[in-house]
Amino acid sequence: MFDNVTAYAGDPILSLNEDFQRDPRSDKVNLSIGIYFDDAGRLPVMAAVDEAERELVAQRRTRPYLPMAGIADYRAAVQELVFGADSAALREARIATLQTIGGSGALKVGSDFLKRYFPDSQVWISDPSWENHRVVFEGSGFQVNTYPYYDGATGGLRFEDMLKTVEGLPAESIVLLHACCHNPTGVDLSQAQWEAILPVLRARRLIAFVDMAYQGFGSDLEQDAFAVRALTDAGVTCLVANSFSKNFSLYGERCGALSVVCRSSEEATRVLGQLTCTVRANYSNPPTHGARIIARVLGDAALRSNWTAELAAMRGRIQVMRQAVHSGLEGHVAGRALSRYLDQRGMFTYTGLSPDQVDCLREVHGVYLLRSGRMCVAGLNQRNVGVVAAAIASVLKHTPANW
Ligand code: LMR
């Protein structure tokens, strides 16, 4: 029956991470997937998460089916974290938010919803973008195009070209934007650049779909939400997919949310109904455990303050690793190309290494990066950063750099 089923080529991130797990070398280094590891190379259990989980386990709560839209406390906590306690849209009950299965689930629910109501629209993602963006939107039946974004020569942003492309898009085009810590490049718009693009999105009646998977890893929880809040305040039609995988270190719990900013509370009620219907058609309702932990941490002042501090420490450690890899590469990499290790933000640096160089790093040195050249700086630590810098230097000695 399945003779004509073709083999899956694998996913550029998740399959590579699985390859890493199977690699028998004891000195291998995983800088492929977007996961924060601590300085001992371990996946941290955050103290506030641990405490909230212990409390929940002690309560021995039952696990009924959740409402299709998820846990009410969780949804309210998401809204406050993402849009800010003083958000006018929140006060006016204009935001429809539902719990989703991770950030990917939020993108999928949003994309299926948009396809139903904007079947002729096309999607525009940054060049480059997280590999799964294209997959999710094409999976919903959209044509996916790119807008200029990353400047390989400078390691910075092609903002003027991006703006010009967005200015030329037909009304109701869907523009996928990264709120902060752009994946895969680590290059973000400045606040002034966001302010320059907002009126264009509004005037051209474009639909902004913002992916915020790294809130807290750029500047801080508030500043990282700048774009989302500015879009909302500017009255741009906007969807926001957010994820707690990274900032709660709860990857496997698949906790995310989708929010849609509407023009009135009555519209938000209708939109929430249709999002809920999309959930029912896909997986009925979301799971309980991780969302209960997050709702507890965000709803308790002491736990929330501990969590915020621990997240700040994670962010700080990534900065230290950026400095360390930069120092390790000094003398091996031309100065201009090196500054990107310091300037790019969040978990990722777009190294400019070619697929062949990345293959060599993996095969010869056991250092795993994505073939796009994306390095997860959060996988570096005091023990492996010197080894990684030496491996990159060695690869560069044998193959010409492409910057
Ligand atoms: C990544 O970009 O590495 C992470 O977001 C994990 C994933 O699902 O791709």
Side-chain angles (χ1 to χ4, degrees):
M1 296 294 277
F2 301 128
D3 276 354
N4 60 350
V5 174
T6 53
Y8 176 41
D11 179 78
I13 302 176
L14 298 185
S15 302
L16 186 64
N17 186 50
E18 289 165 20
D19 290 348
F20 175 83
Q21 307 305 332
R22 282 191 290 267
D23 188 329
R25 289 174 284 185
S26 60
D27 57 350
K28 60 188 177 176
V29 180
N30 193 1
L31 308 179
S32 63
I33 193 160
I35 290 183
Y36 176 91
F37 293 98
D38 64 17
D39 205 52
R42 285 186 303 249
L43 194 65
V45 177
M46 297 176 83
V49 168
D50 196 33
E51 193 176 327
E53 182 166 41
R54 282 172 201 275
E55 287 174 14
L56 287 171
V57 169
Q59 288 168 6
R60 302 184 63 76
R61 289 173 67 179
T62 55
R63 292 172 173 81
Y65 286 132
L66 288 183
M68 292 175 281
I71 299 173
D73 287 353
Y74 174 92
R75 293 166 53 211
V78 165
Q79 292 191 327
E80 193 251 21
L81 187 72
V82 171
F83 295 94
D86 58 351
S87 160
L90 212 58
R91 236 185 357 260
E92 292 156 12
R94 287 194 287 113
I95 306 179
T97 297
L98 84 173
Q99 180 187 336
T100 58
I101 300 186
S104 300
L107 289 165
K108 173 66 179 159
V109 171
S111 144
D112 280 356
F113 164 77
L114 289 174
K115 187 65 190 172
R116 272 210 309 284
Y117 292 98
F118 302 90
D120 301 326
S121 291
Q122 296 189 7
V123 174
W124 296 76
I125 62 175
S126 58
D127 177 21
S129 198
W130 180 50
E131 279 84 347
N132 213 30
H133 282 147
R134 177 176 290 281
V135 177
V136 168
F137 286 102
E138 285 183 350
S140 297
F142 282 113
Q143 174 165 328
V144 178
N145 314 288
T146 57
Y147 56 83
Y149 192 82
Y150 183 68
D151 185 342
T154 62
L157 184 63
R158 293 174 59 192
F159 183 68
E160 291 308 319
D161 295 337
M162 171 184 179
L163 193 60
K164 208 178 310 150
T165 303
V166 172
E167 279 168 350
L169 297 183
E172 298 181 354
S173 294
I174 298 158
V175 185
L176 194 288
L177 299 157
H178 300 233
C180 60
C181 310
H182 183 269
N183 180 2
T185 67
V187 176
D188 288 337
L189 273 67
S190 66
Q191 294 196 354
Q193 288 167 332
W194 280 115
E195 269 154 8
I197 208 164
L198 294 180
V200 180
L201 292 163
R202 193 184 43 218
R204 297 209 56 82
R205 301 190 62 247
L206 303 175
I207 301 169
F209 200 146
V210 186
D211 190 352
M212 183 155 66
Y214 296 88
Q215 188 180 5
F217 281 95
S219 300
D220 62 29
L221 287 164
E222 299 300 312
Q223 289 187 60
D224 288 355
F226 174 84
V228 168
R229 296 176 188 181
L231 281 160
T232 305
D233 292 347
V236 176
T237 300
C238 141
L239 290 82
V240 183
N242 78 290
S243 163
F244 293 114
S245 296
K246 336 272 176 181
N247 55 16
F248 272 81
S249 193
L250 278 174
Y251 303 85
E253 292 294 344
R254 311 306 298 133
C255 293
L258 175 68
S259 299
V260 183
V261 181
C262 302
R263 293 171 65 136
S264 66
S265 66
E266 183 273 331
E267 183 179 281
T269 305
R270 281 185 284 111
V271 167
L272 183 64
Q274 288 303 329
L275 296 174
T276 303
C277 160
T278 310
V279 164
R280 177 57 165 157
N282 279 285
Y283 54 88
S284 285
N285 45 45
T288 49
H289 188 69
R292 280 179 176 168
I293 294 173
I294 289 165
R296 172 82 187 120
V297 171
L298 292 179
D300 179 271
L303 289 176
R304 186 177 178 135
S305 143
N306 290 350
W307 167 70
T308 307
E310 199 167 346
L311 185 56
M314 290 156 84
R315 187 168 66 238
R317 198 192 80 73
I318 294 176
Q319 274 312 115
V320 172
M321 286 303 111
R322 287 192 176 280
Q323 293 281 355
V325 71
H326 179 271
S327 308
L329 286 172
E330 260 174 338
H332 300 287
V333 178
R336 203 179 56 168
L338 201 54
S339 62
R340 69 193 68 193
Y341 286 91
L342 300 178
D343 298 343
Q344 296 174 353
R345 289 151 37 92
M347 284 198 187
F348 304 119
T349 279
Y350 219 45
T351 61
L353 293 170
S354 68
D356 285 349
Q357 290 170 327
V358 169
D359 289 347
C360 177
L361 267 180
R362 187 182 64 254
E363 285 161 17
V364 178
H365 303 276
V367 176
Y368 282 64
L369 269 64
L370 296 193
R371 293 194 85 232
S372 63
R374 187 191 84 173
M375 171 196 283
C376 180
V377 186
L380 292 171
N381 57 49
Q382 299 290 353
R383 275 177 304 118
N384 68 22
V385 67
V387 175
V388 168
I392 295 175
S394 149
V395 166
L396 290 174
K397 211 186 289 172
H398 295 105
T399 49
N402 64 345
W403 50 68

